Amino acid sequence: MPSDINPGLLPLVRKLETVFRLTPEEQKALTHLPVHFRELPADQDIVRVGDRPSQCCLLLEGFVHRYEDVGDGRRQIVSFHIAGDIPDLLSLHLPVMDHNVGTLARSKVGFVSHQSLRALIANHPRIGDACWRDTLIDAAVFRQWMVGMGRRDAHARIAHLFCELFVRMRTVGLAEGNSIQVPLTQGTIADALGLSQVHVNRVVQALRSDGLITWRARVLTIDDWPTLQKVGEFDPTYLHVVDEAA
Amino acid sequence: MPSDINPGLLPLVRKLETVFRLTPEEQKALTHLPVHFRELPADQDIVRVGDRPSQCCLLLEGFVHRYEDVGDGRRQIVSFHIAGDIPDLLSLHLPVMDHNVGTLARSKVGFVSHQSLRALIANHPRIGDACWRDTLIDAAVFRQWMVGMGRRDAHARIAHLFCELFVRMRTVGLAEGNSIQVPLTQGTIADALGLSQVHVNRVVQALRSDGLITWRARVLTIDDWPTLQKVGEFDPTYLHVVDEAA
DNA sequence: CGATACGTTGACGGAAATCAACCCCGGTGG
DNA sequence: CCACCGGGGTTGATTTCCGTCAACGTATCG
């Protein structure tokens, strides 16, 4: 690691390096982006439907979700984001937000103007490609959730989500053994998978009593990975992870 | 329109121009891509799960869908594509296909090597941006389908799909008045929306008898746009259409 | 003109929603 | 120190969409 790296954006470097090694120049350019750092509390919106952002939000620590409100207090969460993600990268090319982005837990973020990002990408096309690629993986995750909501029952959906979160967090070094820290509630999971909170509760209990997972105090532990994977019909190909300790 | 435009790729030009006007040079570069044209029959796969394509497929006429098979003969369709779309553009950055792409009707397509596309984008960054933007709109459509499957009942889902198809086809000039030609069957719609074919049938009949649509012989007519839109909770913002005759 | 794919209809069953309590636990303030 | 509070989790009873199964109708095409 070169000496003139600004450490604030390391999670981002780490994330992009899950695709290919960045050159020292690229690392430098990336970490020297003009960033406005902020700590945000849990459950705070970052951008909302209808907004026309002029900056993107780099998630450095914490947990973010994207969601859409539908009538009658119901809502659908469309994605979860972890350190290294840029949850609203799409605002670089789509002027109007069609969904909300908000924290799920206390989070540390960095705001970068579209202008700076565009300049970075213009000067370092490989970084642009990596960002594009990242939005494509985002879309791949959407597709998997669609398959789940369309054609899998609640057991498979929940097991699949747990598998996905675990693999994604392990990839960027956020797993400790078979455990990950997730600030999710059963209600949150319900809103993500198109289920009711009550039903999520029953299924989670089943997964627990079948010995597949432990989940207490925001810590999720995968106790039986092969079976959980089978129950969730989880095939990590769609995440296009390069390392693969799996 | 400059005189040295190769007319074979006009649907693509038209599609990209729904974002911004292309310069004559850009038009020329685009339409002079080395393309291998082909006519494909209905229900033929173009790329399959696990493939590592070295080319992309430009859809010039017809209808394409992307889908994933899940166990037991079930499947989930994740998107429909019309003239001007590049259904497998993602293969430019994701080496392995995580879903299938296939025709739904007789279609005319053009194959372009990744190499040529990369060169085009390198020389004409705006075209690259337009392509990236297009994959982002793809993802926006995924999100809407997720909201539908997670939080909307069958009536709303089907109405929403009809609205979406109509707006998308009108945008590229494929609507005739309030009608569009769609090669979809009720079973196809079921696989797209996470429903059974039988239930789609019942709901479509309800939409018909409520005077919202007519649908016969592959022609779908919107008879009551305001009500259909309301039933489907359809807000076209997510399609990020520039023109807006809506 | 029969094969085949698509659409239609009815009876029945089931996964999950809804409704309504109740419990548990950590935080907080009197 | 304990009462209170509130968010999250748990449980049971009931309801509802929607799936499944099965049959039959209908249209298009070789």
Side-chain angles (χ1 to χ4, degrees):
Chain A
M1 171 118 2
S3 58
D4 52 356
I5 290 299
N6 177 335
L9 293 180
L10 278 184
L12 195 58
V13 175
R14 171 166 234 166
K15 169 67 178 292
L16 291 185
E17 293 219 316
T18 61
V19 186
F20 48 67
R21 213 120 273 276
L22 297 175
T23 67
E25 296 75 41
E26 286 167 340
Q27 288 198 15
K28 186 175 169 191
L30 189 60
T31 60
H32 284 246
L33 274 173
V35 179
H36 174 58
F37 292 102
R38 284 195 63 193
E39 295 269 352
L40 299 177
D43 301 311
Q44 170 148 358
D45 280 343
I46 297 171
V47 287
R48 287 210 181 76
V49 168
D51 284 356
R52 298 175 156 271
S54 60
Q55 56 184 10
C56 285
C57 165
L58 319 177
L59 179 55
L60 304 170
E61 269 179 52
F63 239 84
V64 159
H65 62 155
R66 299 197 274 159
Y67 65 97
E68 194 161 324
D69 289 310
V70 320
D72 197 31
R74 302 161 97 67
R75 67 187 194 133
Q76 177 67 42
I77 295 173
V78 295
S79 71
F80 294 121
H81 291 282
I82 60 179
D85 289 350
I86 311 179
D88 59 351
L89 183 55
L90 80 176
S91 70
L92 198 60
H93 287 288
L94 300 181
V96 180
M97 290 301 293
D98 56 44
H99 59 278
N100 307 290
V101 180
T103 60
L104 275 169
R106 186 157 218 282
S107 298
K108 187 176 159 198
V109 302
F111 291 105
V112 188
S113 72
H114 286 170
Q115 206 178 348
S116 310
L117 268 179
R118 278 190 241 276
L120 175 73
I121 290 172
N123 293 326
H124 301 277
R126 288 209 322 159
I127 293 182
D129 288 349
C131 288
W132 186 353
R133 188 190 128 101
D134 208 58
T135 62
L136 291 173
I137 293 178
D138 238 55
V141 174
F142 293 159
R143 287 193 292 274
Q144 276 307 309
W145 287 28
M146 288 171 64
V147 173
M149 290 196 282
R151 293 297 180 218
R152 292 202 259 254
D153 69 12
H155 277 76
R157 266 184 257 184
I158 293 175
H160 195 281
L161 177 62
F162 287 163
C163 290
E164 177 184 306
L165 286 173
F166 181 72
V167 169
R168 285 178 58 199
M169 292 183 74
R170 189 186 52 194
T171 304
V172 295
L174 287 175
E176 292 159 28
N178 297 320
S179 298
I180 51 176
Q181 282 215 17
V182 291
L184 307 176
T185 68
Q186 297 181 350
T188 310
I189 291 177
D191 283 341
L193 300 181
L195 299 166
S196 69
Q197 183 265 348
V198 170
H199 199 58
V200 169
N201 177 273
R202 294 194 232 266
V203 172
V204 165
Q205 286 181 62
L207 293 176
R208 278 203 268 249
S209 69
D210 290 346
L212 305 187
I213 60 161
T214 310
W215 185 22
R216 274 191 56 247
R218 314 278 104 130
V219 175
L220 173 69
T221 304
I222 314 288
D223 295 320
D224 182 349
W225 175 256
T227 307
L228 190 69
Q229 197 169 2
K230 194 181 313 161
V231 169
E233 302 173 42
F234 179 76
D235 172 353
T237 307
Y238 73 100
L239 292 173
H240 298 271
V241 182
V242 178
D243 85 352
E244 267 325 308
Chain B
M1 171 120 1
S3 57
D4 51 356
I5 290 299
N6 178 335
L9 293 180
L10 277 184
L12 195 58
V13 175
R14 170 167 233 166
K15 169 69 177 290
L16 291 184
E17 292 219 316
T18 61
V19 186
F20 48 67
R21 212 121 272 276
L22 298 174
T23 67
E25 296 75 43
E26 285 167 340
Q27 289 198 15
K28 185 175 169 187
L30 190 59
T31 59
H32 284 244
L33 274 171
V35 178
H36 175 58
F37 292 102
R38 284 194 63 192
E39 295 270 352
L40 299 176
D43 301 311
Q44 170 149 359
D45 280 344
I46 297 171
V47 288
R48 287 209 180 78
V49 168
D51 284 356
R52 297 174 157 272
S54 61
Q55 58 184 10
C56 284
C57 165
L58 318 178
L59 180 54
L60 304 170
E61 270 179 52
F63 239 85
V64 159
H65 62 154
R66 299 197 271 159
Y67 65 97
E68 194 161 323
D69 289 309
V70 319
D72 196 30
R74 303 162 95 67
R75 66 188 195 132
Q76 176 68 41
I77 295 173
V78 295
S79 71
F80 295 121
H81 291 282
I82 59 178
D85 290 351
I86 311 179
D88 59 350
L89 183 56
L90 80 177
S91 69
L92 198 60
H93 287 288
L94 300 180
V96 180
M97 289 301 293
D98 55 44
H99 59 279
N100 308 288
V101 180
T103 59
L104 275 169
R106 186 157 219 283
S107 299
K108 186 178 160 196
V109 302
F111 290 106
V112 188
S113 72
H114 286 171
Q115 206 178 347
S116 309
L117 266 180
R118 278 190 241 276
L120 174 72
I121 290 172
N123 293 326
H124 300 278
R126 288 209 321 159
I127 293 183
D129 288 349
C131 288
W132 186 353
R133 187 190 130 101
D134 208 59
T135 62
L136 292 172
I137 292 177
D138 238 56
V141 173
F142 293 160
R143 287 194 291 274
Q144 276 307 308
W145 287 29
M146 288 172 64
V147 173
M149 290 197 283
R151 293 297 180 218
R152 292 202 257 255
D153 69 12
H155 276 76
R157 266 184 256 184
I158 293 174
H160 194 281
L161 177 62
F162 288 162
C163 289
E164 176 184 307
L165 287 173
F166 181 72
V167 169
R168 285 177 57 198
M169 293 184 74
R170 188 186 52 194
T171 305
V172 295
L174 287 174
E176 293 159 27
N178 297 321
S179 297
I180 51 177
Q181 281 216 16
V182 291
L184 307 176
T185 68
Q186 296 182 351
T188 310
I189 291 177
D191 283 341
L193 300 181
L195 299 167
S196 69
Q197 184 264 348
V198 170
H199 199 60
V200 169
N201 178 274
R202 295 195 231 266
V203 172
V204 165
Q205 286 181 62
L207 293 176
R208 279 204 266 249
S209 69
D210 289 346
L212 304 186
I213 61 162
T214 310
W215 184 20
R216 274 190 56 246
R218 315 276 105 132
V219 175
L220 173 69
T221 304
I222 314 289
D223 295 319
D224 182 349
W225 175 256
T227 307
L228 190 68
Q229 196 169 2
K230 195 182 312 162
V231 169
E233 302 173 42
F234 178 76
D235 172 353
T237 307
Y238 73 99
L239 292 173
H240 298 272
V241 181
V242 178
D243 84 351
E244 269 324 310

